[in-house]
Amino acid sequence: MPKLDLQTLESWLWDSANILRGSIDSSDFKNYIFGLLFLKRANDVFDEEVEAIMAREEDYSREEAEDATYFKMPTEARWGEVKKATENIGVVLDKAFAAIEENNKDLKLEGVMTATKFGDKEKLNDDTLQRLLRHFNQHSLRNADLYTPDLLGDAYEYLIKQFADDAGKKGGEFYTPRGVVKLIVGLIKPQPGNEIFDPTCGSGGMLIESARYIAEHGGKVDGPNNLINVSLFGQEKNIGTWAIAKLNMLLHNFDSADLRKGDTLVNPQHKSSDTELRLFDRVIANPPFSQDRWWTPAEINLPKKLDKDGKEKEVTPNYATAVVDNFGRLHYGTPPRGYADMAFLQHMLAVLRQNVRIGVVLPHGTLFRGGAEGSIREKLLEDDLVEGIVGLPSALFYNTGIPAAIWVLTKSKPASLRKRVRIIDASQEFKEGKNQNELEDRHVQHILAAYDAGLDIDKFMKVVDVADIKANDYNLNISRYIDRSVAAEVIELAAAHAALRELEAKEALIDAKLESLLEEIGL
């Protein structure tokens, strides 16, 4: 039997979405398909591992081999048992997922497998679930039957992208386009042995791409499990998206990834003590653009007052006094209520070790907005923390059509870059798409080559002194430093006049010739 290739796997998984169409909202497809995908994969790999143990340990019974596996598969969660069900199939699946969580507590799966409820017959009836089970039974997902051990993880990311397309704006909540992720990872250059953190990790794509980068740059660990020398950490506010990220890590063999639930700004989970945050070697993120009302404690039980028409209205909290951060992250100032961008950036700085980098994508407004944000930007520049700014094309993201920019920050610049900032205008680096534009590998490599070289390139890159940025009131709007306008052609009036006279003479000759021909034919 030929090994399952990526194209066949992707098509097979996408067909499962077609089975669900009409039963549930398309933005929810991922929750059901990912759960069944993981269940089938876990079963197939479990059977494969049991057989390998029995072949290696000849005196082991099957029961003893099952007890020796890394991932435990309880009887009620076995694929053979689940697919026997003909009624109340959703309840059978819910029990299977609960049993997996209970029997694999070391993997911290609590709430991951059971985040989606299959037992709601108003959403999924037995006929639909039976079709899904038959569909997932078509292929083996054992490692030996896959073209590459990471094939399933790649297909998983493919489906995340497809669901982002299908869900429209909702897709931006859990997926960052691969080209943008590759670019940010290439800018911060993670190294073997790094501890990498994403404070708004979504489905985990940035962390996985960081690990992939390390593997491609000498970070593979020799051994049977094909491990990568990296430690991954993340936090995600949306519980459903957090569950997807956990499954994504397991499917990519990063079961040790430390992904936690909760609001990173209000309740950061990765701490070295009650008052100190854990530090990391690289920090990477795509926070929600310009999140409004980002400090939840300030938004609870808001006082009300009467307006001029006698109607009650809530009193808008003053974030400068209402935000109280016990971890001292907002060192450079408190961002306004309507824009959390600089709060996320300062959190990332607070958890960054020396001599390493942050890569974060933020809306263009962070480059030039005034007020509290302008003050924060000024202090970041004066403390020489901003290494580079890369302006991206518009319409790259699923949740917005506005352009964004990547900020690269470090606490320790090399001597050649001190008090200088690399600025790139990559607004024209894209392949045009029907709904979203795409940053392809060739665009990513072009941008990275220019950034790493650190030399001025006309209409594309400029290394700007902080003194010049100060002269522009610390405004980082890229058009202030890179002029993409095309100079108007200089017209020599004398030459143009002579050419015009020559054309007029030729026109007179043509008119005379035409008159002569018309006379010859009697017109």
Side-chain angles (χ1 to χ4, degrees):
M1 178 184 292
K3 293 191 176 184
L4 191 63
D5 61 36
L6 180 60
Q7 184 178 357
T8 303
L9 183 60
E10 289 176 348
S11 176
W12 173 56
L13 292 173
W14 186 244
D15 284 345
S16 65
N18 291 329
I19 295 174
L20 287 170
R21 293 191 191 281
S23 297
I24 57 176
D25 189 85
S26 60
S27 61
D28 292 328
F29 286 175
K30 63 185 185 299
N31 302 323
Y32 296 92
I33 294 176
F34 293 163
L36 289 174
L37 170 63
F38 183 81
L39 183 63
K40 181 64 163 63
R41 165 71 165 163
N43 267 275
D44 290 353
V45 173
F46 174 79
D47 287 338
E48 187 177 40
E49 187 180 359
V50 168
E51 291 169 11
I53 292 172
M54 292 177 69
R56 187 173 62 246
E57 307 290 343
E58 295 182 359
D59 58 336
Y60 269 40
S61 66
R62 181 173 181 87
E63 187 177 82
E64 289 173 322
E66 289 176 355
D67 287 339
T69 59
Y70 172 69
F71 189 89
K72 307 303 179 186
M73 188 60 64
T75 303
E76 59 266 48
R78 305 281 172 89
W79 188 255
E81 291 298 315
V82 171
K83 71 179 184 179
K84 287 179 185 176
T86 57
E87 58 182 22
N88 296 321
I89 299 174
V91 175
V92 171
L93 286 167
D94 287 341
K95 289 180 178 178
F97 291 129
I100 289 175
E101 287 186 4
E102 180 63 27
N103 284 268
N104 292 277
K105 289 185 175 180
D106 290 346
L107 296 180
K108 299 178 181 178
L109 294 177
E110 184 181 357
V112 176
M113 307 304 300
T114 54
T116 300
K117 302 302 180 186
F118 284 79
D120 185 351
K121 287 193 175 183
E122 290 186 3
K123 289 186 175 180
L124 290 175
N125 58 37
D126 283 335
D127 288 342
T128 301
L129 286 171
Q130 201 161 51
R131 286 181 63 201
L132 276 175
L133 292 176
R134 284 199 300 266
H135 182 76
F136 274 92
N137 200 49
Q138 291 177 7
H139 295 286
S140 167
L141 298 180
R142 293 181 174 215
N143 287 319
D145 295 326
L146 301 179
Y147 181 70
T148 172
D150 197 34
L151 184 74
L152 196 60
D154 289 342
Y156 193 88
E157 290 181 36
Y158 162 81
L159 276 176
I160 290 175
K161 178 185 182 300
Q162 295 307 311
F163 284 122
D165 284 335
D166 212 35
K169 291 185 177 181
K170 292 182 180 179
E173 297 176 5
F174 56 88
Y175 178 77
T176 302
R178 174 66 71 86
V180 177
V181 176
K182 283 186 173 182
L183 178 55
I184 300 176
V185 171
L187 289 167
I188 67 172
K189 294 177 173 49
Q191 302 296 309
N194 275 177
E195 294 180 334
I196 304 173
F197 174 59
D198 184 342
T200 57
C201 67
S203 58
M206 285 190 167
L207 294 173
I208 289 170
E209 185 60 39
S210 297
R212 184 180 285 123
Y213 180 95
I214 289 173
E216 292 171 353
H217 292 79
K220 283 274 189 177
V221 179
D222 292 333
N225 295 323
N226 204 30
L227 298 177
I228 300 172
N229 184 15
V230 66
S231 299
L232 304 178
F233 302 81
Q235 186 166 340
E236 173 56 42
K237 182 178 180 179
N238 184 294
I239 302 303
T241 306
W242 167 81
I244 289 174
K246 289 283 286 186
L247 293 181
N248 203 2
M249 292 297 163
L250 290 169
L251 291 174
H252 279 89
N253 297 321
F254 294 118
D255 48 80
S256 62
D258 185 355
L259 305 185
R260 304 188 186 181
K261 296 175 283 187
D263 185 331
T264 300
L265 295 180
V266 175
N267 188 22
Q269 293 294 303
H270 294 88
K271 297 177 284 191
S272 55
S273 71
D274 289 342
T275 57
E276 293 184 355
L277 298 172
R278 197 185 196 287
L279 302 182
F280 302 95
D281 299 303
R282 294 290 190 280
V283 188
I284 186 169
N286 174 19
F289 285 1
S290 300
Q291 181 180 325
D292 188 20
R293 306 184 183 200
W294 51 272
W295 191 258
T296 309
E299 303 293 340
I300 298 173
N301 298 324
L302 290 176
K304 297 180 180 180
K305 67 176 183 180
L306 297 178
D307 62 15
K308 61 181 180 180
D309 297 322
K311 295 180 180 179
E312 275 194 345
K313 60 179 294 186
E314 291 182 338
V315 178
T316 302
N318 180 2
Y319 268 44
T321 55
V323 177
V324 179
D325 176 36
N326 295 326
F327 299 97
R329 292 169 293 174
L330 304 180
H331 176 69
Y332 294 101
T334 302
R337 185 191 193 201
Y339 302 103
D341 308 303
M342 287 297 187
F344 282 112
L345 188 148
Q346 289 187 84
H347 173 85
M348 296 171 75
L349 274 172
V351 299
L352 186 71
R353 293 192 175 108
Q354 289 292 127
N355 304 316
V356 287
R357 286 189 180 116
I358 287 170
V360 56
V361 59
L362 298 173
H364 251 192
T366 57
L367 301 177
F368 55 79
R369 287 194 295 246
E373 289 181 293
S375 175
I376 293 169
R377 188 171 57 248
E378 174 183 341
K379 293 170 185 175
L380 292 172
L381 287 162
E382 284 299 331
D383 277 4
D384 211 15
L385 295 169
V386 183
E387 179 184 294
I389 299 291
V390 178
L392 296 173
S394 60
L396 283 181
F397 297 87
Y398 291 96
N399 55 347
T400 179
I402 65 171
I406 296 170
W407 289 64
V408 183
L409 294 94
T410 179
K411 290 184 176 179
S412 183
K413 286 185 182 179
S416 61
L417 260 183
R418 284 176 190 158
K419 289 297 180 178
R420 307 179 84 199
V421 179
R422 295 175 184 176
I423 299 179
I424 289 181
D425 181 352
S427 60
Q428 304 306 306
E429 298 288 313
F430 66 91
K431 175 185 176 183
E432 190 172 358
K434 182 179 179 181
N435 297 316
Q436 273 80 33
N437 294 326
E438 182 180 357
L439 199 65
E440 295 185 318
D441 283 348
R442 60 191 173 96
H443 302 123
V444 171
Q445 293 309 315
H446 179 213
I447 297 167
L448 291 177
Y451 189 91
D452 292 342
L455 302 174
D456 288 356
I457 301 174
D458 187 41
K459 302 186 187 305
F460 186 68
M461 173 167 169
K462 188 171 182 62
V463 182
V464 183
D465 291 337
V466 171
D468 292 335
I469 300 173
K470 179 180 179 181
N472 277 311
D473 295 325
Y474 299 96
N475 189 320
L476 282 172
N477 203 344
I478 293 171
S479 61
R480 291 191 176 222
Y481 307 99
I482 299 176
D483 183 9
R484 295 194 61 89
S485 62
V486 178
E489 183 181 355
V490 177
I491 299 174
E492 292 289 342
L493 290 178
H497 189 262
L500 180 61
R501 291 300 183 203
E502 185 179 344
L503 289 172
E504 288 173 345
K506 288 181 179 179
E507 184 182 16
L509 289 173
I510 293 170
D511 287 344
K513 180 71 172 176
L514 180 60
E515 287 291 336
S516 175
L517 291 172
L518 290 173
E519 285 180 6
E520 288 180 13
I521 62 175
L523 293 175

